[in-house]
Amino acid sequence: MPVYQLTDELSFPHPSLADPIGLLAIGGDLSPQRLLLAYTHGIFPWYSDPAPMLWWSPDPRLVLFPGELKISRSLKRVIKKQVFTVTMDRAFGEVIVACATTRKETWITGEMIEAYVALHKLGYAHSFETMHEGRLVGGLYGVAMGRAFFGESMFSIMSDASKVALVYLVHYLEGLGFEFIDCQTTTEHLKRFGARQIPRKEFLQRLARALNGEK
C-alpha cells in the first residue's frame, strides 16, 4: 500500500488508506491550518528529525473515555494529600519544552514546538501544569476541538506529577462534556488509567460526532 506524498495543497488521503502500522502520508508542513485539518480527520504528525514529516492514523486507536478513568489507590492518596498544585495554560511553552527534553528520545522537534505554541496562541492547544512548591515538576499538553481532546505528550520530574495532571485533565474535560481523549498509540501506562483500543472506523465516527456537537 503506497504512502501518500503531501503537496502544498491542504488535503490528506482518507485514514483508511494508511499502511498496516498506521502511516498515512509523508511531507507537508506544520502550519496551524494543516494541523487542525489533520486532527479533524483523525490524523496526527509523528516523526524524528531529520527524517521527513510523517502523518499517522493507526488502527486500532487508543482512547480514554472520561467516565472510564481508573485511578489507583496510591494515586488517590497523593491527590488527597494535595502534594501538587495543578494549573491550566499557565506555562504551555515550558511544558512542551520539558516534554521534549526530559526523555532520551523525542519526536518533539523545534519545529513541532513552534507549531504547537502557535496552536496554543490560537486557543486550540492547552497545557496542564503540575507544580510543587512553586516549581514545575510535571504536566501534559494536547489539542482541543469540539468535544474531543487529542493528547500529545506528558512529562514528569517528580513521582506521580504527570499522573496527577492527567487526572485533573480528565475531570476537567468530563465537566465540560467532552466525549473522549485521543491517546493515539497504545501504551500500557495509559491502559492502566482505563484507556482502551477501539477500531479506527469507530474512532472516526465518534470524532465526527464530537466535532459536530452530537451525542
Side-chain angles (χ1 to χ4, degrees), residues 139-151:
L140 56 82
Y141 75 97
V143 174
M145 297 183 71
R147 290 185 290 106
F149 188 88
F150 307 89

Side-chain angles (χ1 to χ4, degrees), residues 42-161:
I43 302 163
F44 60 88
W46 187 27
Y47 66 101
S48 298
D49 236 2
M53 202 169 296
L54 304 177
W55 300 86
W56 302 79
S57 185
D59 186 15
R61 192 78 163 229
L62 191 72
V63 173
L64 176 58
F65 297 100
E68 298 180 5
L69 175 67
K70 296 178 181 178
I71 309 173
S72 67
R73 283 178 291 184
S74 60
L75 186 57
K76 286 180 180 179
R77 288 194 293 268
V78 171
I79 295 172
K80 186 176 181 179
K81 290 179 180 178
Q82 298 183 333
V83 176
F84 303 107
T85 299
V86 180
T87 59
M88 177 182 175
D89 287 341
R90 296 282 185 87
F92 183 89
E94 290 89 335
V95 168
I96 190 171
V97 168
C99 287
T101 57
T102 55
R103 62 188 70 200
K104 292 182 179 180
E105 296 182 5
T106 182
W107 69 95
I108 307 172
T109 64
E111 190 177 16
M112 278 272 202
I113 292 173
E114 291 180 9
Y116 283 86
V117 167
L119 282 187
H120 173 64
K121 291 178 179 178
L122 291 172
Y124 291 100
H126 302 279
S127 61
F128 275 69
E129 306 91 18
T130 310
M131 312 294 293
H132 178 69
E133 297 180 352
R135 184 169 67 104
L136 180 66
V137 295
L140 56 82
Y141 75 97
V143 174
M145 297 183 71
R147 290 185 290 106
F149 188 88
F150 307 89
E152 281 299 320
S153 187
M154 59 178 63
F155 84 98
S156 181
I157 59 174
M158 186 173 173
S159 181
D160 295 321

Side-chain angles (χ1 to χ4, degrees), residues 14-16 57-61 198-209:
H14 192 274
S16 64
S57 185
D59 186 15
R61 192 78 163 229
I198 61 174
R200 178 171 55 213
K201 182 177 180 180
E202 178 185 345
F203 172 78
L204 293 175
Q205 292 170 341
R206 288 179 177 271
L207 174 59
R209 293 197 296 268

